Amino acid sequence: MVVRTPPMGWNTWNTFGLQINEQLILDSARVLISSGLRDAGYEYIVMDDGWSLPQRDENGRLVPDPQKFPRGIAALADDLHAMGLKLGIYSCAGLLTCGGYPGSNSYEFVDAETFASWKIDYLKYDYCYKPQHERGDQLYQRMGMALANSGRDILLSACSWGADETHTWIKTTGAGCWRSTCDIVDTWESICRLAKQQKELQKYNGLGCFNDMDMLVVGMNGNGNVGLSGCTETQYKTHFALWAFLGSTLMIGCDIRSMSEETARILKNPGLIAINQDPCYRQPFSIGGSFNYAHGDQEDSFVWAKLLENGDIAIGMFNLSDSPRNLYFTLNDLSLPRFCGRKLELTDVWTGEVCETVDHRHCVWVDACDCRVYRAKLVKA
């Protein structure tokens, strides 16, 4: 299955872990609609680990837990499709899933046929309990082939955590997106650690095989399965901006049934979603940093740009440090020399405020753990 923009949706794992059931899925689907998240682009509801029985049936097929999903999975898929949503499910390239349920290793074609018969739209495919002698590229290639021959379009979301140099082989597998990181938890330290890994991975991103920096923790506030210390609203805002700007899949992980207005505002930011979903999906590149660059501040402070389909330029100025930083970029770093006759008109995607570059550059103080993201237009100087 070929996807044209990074997938967007909601996944059960971050908040609920293995404790999932049909009612939770349906209730969350209804909130996805009533809150406006579906209309903002979030279309997948993904059931993560914990949906099946601990053993396959006598025919070697996976069986939904009848206490959690009394009507089976196909009926649930029908309900979600009627709501204008898509259903995702979880399995694993290993002998067992991470939660100890049956994995799809050597059952790829049987499971792909089963998922197709249930009208599944998305498969999150994990990497736990993988036999050490088996190659990751071949395991994901096999499931990619199985899905492609299942008779239904099912997006393969490869979740190998960036292990075994995933970035070097993932585009051979048919995956529509691939995890480039270890698991996220609900702390600012985790967000920063995963974000800093991305600089060397950007050249491996590409249209149709999108980078997945793991699920969003926006709005978790220390609650749920991966909830630890939680983050401030500013940190959640920067987290979402980083994931959106770098072209990651956007899978919400909080309990959307109880999310705050601020959480909804962050997750539905139209400017950032437009940058994330830009049809060209061009790779970001570095154009600036901190005035204290010589003192090593580039580790926590950086400025990226990304060329958009209509000729606009997305510019992200990120300060992951615990103190304010003076960040800047010059138009020369955007391949626009001083006498080219152009400057930038910058629109802040959070506030809507508009400014222009001055003296062929833009400088701004960015608070601790904060960011500025602009959609810029080229105008005559």
Side-chain angles (χ1 to χ4, degrees):
M1 179 181 179
V2 179
V3 286
R4 303 296 181 184
T5 56
M8 299 173 61
W10 175 80
N11 182 292
T12 58
W13 181 256
N14 278 6
T15 296
F16 300 100
L18 301 173
Q19 307 307 311
I20 60 175
N21 57 56
E22 177 183 283
Q23 195 60 52
L24 169 66
I25 301 299
L26 290 172
D27 289 347
S28 299
R30 295 185 184 105
V31 172
L32 203 73
I33 296 169
S34 64
S35 66
L37 286 168
R38 182 194 62 180
D39 292 341
Y42 297 92
E43 61 177 347
Y44 289 99
I45 295 279
V46 182
M47 300 186 303
D48 212 288
D49 205 354
W51 60 267
S52 77
L53 287 178
Q55 297 86 28
R56 293 174 178 268
D57 68 14
E58 63 276 10
N59 297 312
R61 294 188 177 273
L62 295 168
V63 181
D65 186 325
Q67 292 191 345
K68 294 179 177 180
F69 297 94
R71 299 185 302 144
I73 303 300
L76 178 59
D78 285 339
D79 289 344
L80 294 190
H81 293 155
M83 298 180 193
L85 298 170
K86 297 178 180 179
L87 179 61
I89 206 165
Y90 170 96
S91 190
C92 190
L95 302 179
L96 298 173
T97 70
C98 299
Y101 294 88
S104 290
N105 188 289
S106 77
Y107 287 92
E108 290 87 356
F109 287 90
V110 171
D111 290 354
E113 291 174 358
T114 299
F115 298 149
S117 73
W118 292 343
K119 306 171 192 174
I120 293 297
D121 304 293
Y122 179 110
L123 172 63
K124 177 183 173 183
Y125 202 48
D126 220 331
Y127 209 47
C128 286
Y129 296 102
K130 178 188 80 70
Q132 293 300 305
H133 71 283
E134 294 191 5
R135 287 169 40 185
D137 60 338
Q138 293 181 338
L139 293 176
Y140 282 93
Q141 287 164 1
R142 192 154 70 228
M143 181 53 86
M145 287 188 285
L147 293 176
N149 286 276
S150 70
R152 181 176 178 81
D153 276 343
I154 300 176
L155 189 158
L156 175 57
S157 174
C159 184
S160 59
W161 328 315
D164 298 331
E165 297 188 314
T166 299
H167 56 281
T168 64
W169 48 258
I170 192 60
K171 290 181 184 178
T172 72
T173 68
C177 51
W178 59 284
R179 269 280 294 281
S180 62
T181 68
C182 61
D183 287 1
I184 196 171
V185 293
D186 186 20
T187 69
W188 178 239
E189 292 74 21
S190 176
I191 291 167
C192 292
R193 182 175 63 253
L194 302 191
K196 290 176 185 179
Q197 294 175 14
Q198 297 305 312
K199 183 177 181 180
E200 301 304 319
L201 292 173
Q202 291 309 305
K203 59 188 175 184
Y204 297 100
N205 287 348
L207 195 63
C209 191
F210 301 106
N211 182 14
D212 175 3
M213 295 165 60
D214 204 4
M215 293 164 284
L216 298 163
V217 295
V218 176
M220 290 194 65
N221 299 312
N223 300 309
N225 186 48
V226 304
L228 296 178
S229 63
C231 300
T232 67
E233 287 186 357
T234 294
Q235 291 168 342
Y236 283 140
K237 184 184 82 168
T238 301
H239 164 39
F240 184 74
L242 279 162
W243 266 235
F245 190 94
L246 294 177
S248 175
T249 60
L250 298 178
M251 286 289 166
I252 300 168
C254 70
D255 186 351
I256 56 175
R257 301 172 304 172
S258 58
M259 67 179 169
S260 67
E261 291 183 6
E262 176 61 19
T263 293
R265 185 183 73 84
I266 292 171
L267 293 172
K268 293 192 293 183
N269 183 281
L272 282 166
I273 290 174
I275 291 170
N276 179 264
Q277 298 287 294
D278 188 76
C280 283
Y281 196 75
R282 295 189 177 113
Q283 295 168 354
F285 55 96
S286 175
I287 61 168
S290 168
F291 275 117
N292 292 325
Y293 189 86
H295 300 285
D297 286 356
Q298 70 271 26
E299 174 70 16
D300 295 316
S301 305
F302 38 83
V303 182
W304 279 320
K306 183 158 62 172
L307 305 182
L308 304 177
E309 182 189 37
N310 70 341
D312 289 352
I313 305 167
I315 298 174
M317 309 180 77
F318 299 96
N319 176 18
L320 307 186
S321 76
D322 56 5
S323 60
R325 293 276 173 84
N326 194 355
L327 303 187
Y328 78 102
F329 65 88
T330 74
L331 296 194
N332 290 70
D333 293 309
L334 279 165
S335 304
L336 298 169
R338 182 176 291 274
F339 301 108
C340 71
R342 294 294 184 272
K343 61 183 177 180
L344 294 183
E345 179 184 274
L346 305 159
T347 300
D348 189 309
V349 301
W350 293 110
T351 66
E353 295 176 355
V354 178
C355 63
E356 293 184 343
T357 50
V358 177
D359 294 332
H360 218 60
R361 58 185 170 80
H362 181 67
C363 306
V364 63
W365 278 95
V366 179
D367 288 338
C369 310
D370 207 347
C371 65
R372 297 288 182 93
V373 180
Y374 302 100
R375 190 172 183 117
K377 293 184 179 297
L378 283 168
V379 297
K380 292 184 177 180

